[in-house]
Structures are given as structure tokens and as C-alpha cells.
Amino acid sequence: MSREVCLNEIEPGQTAVVKELLSDGSIRRRLLDIGLVEGTLVECVGRSPGGDPSAYLIRGAVIAIRSEDSTRITIHEQR
């Protein structure tokens, strides 16, 4: 079963599938450029000691995304 949440809500070790990018402007372009599009599988692989940013495995690359930006990415959390 899956539920719809923001990307910043998954914990290290959890996976999710991107539903929608709510960002706009240059950050939207950057996220699209790294392959963060609808249907992409994403895994949270860790958080910085301060909790922000978090690291996500996206299409074979580990990408750090700030909490401010990850709240604008809706996902289907995988259980």
C-alpha cells in the first residue's frame, strides 16, 4: 500500500515514487535535469547531522536536496 506525502517525509531506507513537482523556476529545471520526473523511484539514503539536506538515490546517483525544496515534491510512499 502507498500513501501520498512530500519527499521530505520519508526516512532513510524508505523508497517512494515521484507523483508531481510543485516547484517552479530554476529549482524545477534542476530537478527535472537530474531525472526527478513523475514515476521516478527515489530512495532516501541519509540525512545530514543537522537534518537538512537529505540525500536521495535518484536514477543511480546520490543527490542532496534541501528540505525547503523536497517539501515541493509529492510522492507515493512505498511500504
Side-chain angles (χ1 to χ4, degrees), residues 33-48:
D33 287 346
I34 63 171
L36 202 61
V37 297
E38 183 180 343
T40 301
L41 182 66
V42 177
E43 178 183 353
C44 182
V45 294
R47 298 203 194 293
S48 69

Side-chain angles (χ1 to χ4, degrees), residues 16-78:
V17 175
V18 175
K19 179 180 183 262
E20 182 179 15
L21 293 182
L22 303 173
S23 301
D24 55 9
S26 63
I27 188 62
R28 179 180 180 83
R29 180 80 256 155
R30 288 184 189 131
L31 294 172
L32 291 171
D33 287 346
I34 63 171
L36 202 61
V37 297
E38 183 180 343
T40 301
L41 182 66
V42 177
E43 178 183 353
C44 182
V45 294
R47 298 203 194 293
S48 69
D52 191 28
S54 295
Y56 300 95
L57 182 62
I58 303 168
R59 298 184 184 265
V62 176
I63 307 292
I65 302 176
R66 298 177 299 175
S67 182
E68 172 186 342
D69 298 323
S70 63
T71 59
R72 308 278 300 148
I73 301 166
T74 59
I75 53 148
H76 293 290
E77 179 184 15
Q78 306 294 297

